[in-house]
Each structure stands twice: as structure tokens, then as C-alpha cells.
Amino acid sequence: MIVTLIVVCEVGFWVLLAAGLAVRYLLKMPRTGLALLLCEPLLEVLLLVVTAIDLKNGADPSWKHGLAALYIGYTVGHGHRTVKWLDGHAAHRFGGAPPPPKPPRYGMARARHEGAVWLGSVTAAAVASGLLLLATWYVGDDGNTESLRDWILISWRAAGIHGLIALSYAIWPKKAPERAPGKTPEQAPEKASAVPARDPEHVPDLLVGRAREDEEQVR
């Protein structure tokens, strides 16, 4: 039942997100769309309540309860960033807003961005660990809580691996591709084309110049 509810919550997350953005920008009802988006946390509350009831009714703590805690933690740590990213693109595509800024790709700016994303993973691990510790306390010494403690280690192991990846961008910052001095991407030389054109203006100036030089030599 817990696994099924996790799947339902995941599907419900994307359904509510799509419905909220559609109502907000396509139907021009921003308040109603915002209300739908604010319903997202209710899915995690529902999952938390059902998990607690399942343990209260005598269910043995298992990987399913650990997975539920990890899912809630991930939603808390990264759900806001996902919603904000999709809302920015929907506002640009349907609301006439400017395109959302892209994350940096090079240098220490990229390292700081990856560090901020990693903090979301730390938040997810902390939330999941807190829920699992509460579940362990709730079950007490009479139940088998080893699987719940294992999920605490799993959550922090995942955060640690993500942290090493984020740290690599600070130790070995990715360099931007080099450009010719004083040149911009728009000023890059055009590549020659073998496709014939009706007028000289339809081909690169370099080819036109060569054609004129050949004509003068023949004369």
C-alpha cells in the first residue's frame, strides 16, 4: 500500500503542477493556478499520515517506510526548485515573460550553483532522517527498526556522493571555450559553402572575393 501511495503522490505531483500552470497561464486565472500549486505539499502530508497509521496498526518497519521518508525529504529539498523552474518556462512560453536565466556553465559560478543544488540534497537527507528517527521512536524497542536506520545511512550516503560531485566543480572548475581576441560569436568567420547561389549576396564574402579575383586574371 505504501509503495502504491508513493506512486500516486508522484503522479499527483506532476498532475497538480501541470494543472496549476495551465490554469495560471493558459486560462489566465493566476490565483486559482497558485492555489493548485500550493496543494502540492498536501500530497506529502497524506503520505506521512498513511505511513504513520500503517506503523501504528502493527506493520513491521520495512524498506517501504524508508522509501516514503526519502521521497518526502526529496520533495522538501528539491520540489521548490523544480516548481520554480517549470513556472519560469511556462511564464515565458505562455505569459510573455522574459526567458528564465540559465544556470551558469563555467568557472566558480558553476561551482556555486552546484553547491546550492547540493544543499537541497542535504535538506532532503535531514528531513528524511528526522522522519525515520521519529518512526523509530514511534515503533519503540519492541519492533524491528533496523531497516529504518539503514535508510538514514542511505540518505546521507546519497548526499555525500552528491557533495563530492559538487565539490569537483570547485576543485576543477570547468573553463569556458576560448575566443579570438576582440571577437564575439556573431563575428566568427563564416564557413565556406559549396551550395550555388543565384546572387553573390547569398554566399560568404570570402567566396565572392575569390570569384572576382579569378575573373580579373582571366581578363
Side-chain angles (χ1 to χ4, degrees), residues 6-97:
I6 292 175
V7 174
V8 171
C9 288
E10 178 66 17
V11 174
F13 174 85
W14 293 105
V15 170
L16 279 177
L17 183 57
L21 294 177
V23 171
R24 185 175 174 87
Y25 295 108
L26 295 181
L27 300 182
K28 307 298 182 182
M29 301 171 63
R31 292 185 178 179
T32 304
L34 179 61
L36 289 174
L37 293 177
L38 292 178
C39 289
E40 300 279 4
L42 297 179
L43 296 174
E44 280 64 51
V45 173
L46 174 63
L47 179 59
L48 179 61
V49 170
V50 172
T51 302
I53 293 175
D54 192 45
L55 292 173
K56 182 66 174 179
N57 291 336
D60 291 330
S62 64
W63 64 271
K64 296 178 292 186
H65 302 95
L67 182 62
L70 203 63
Y71 174 80
I72 295 173
Y74 179 86
T75 304
V76 173
H78 294 286
H80 174 71
R81 180 178 291 104
T82 302
V83 173
K84 183 178 179 181
W85 181 79
L86 289 174
D87 182 69
H89 282 276
H92 168 60
R93 180 66 177 83
F94 303 109

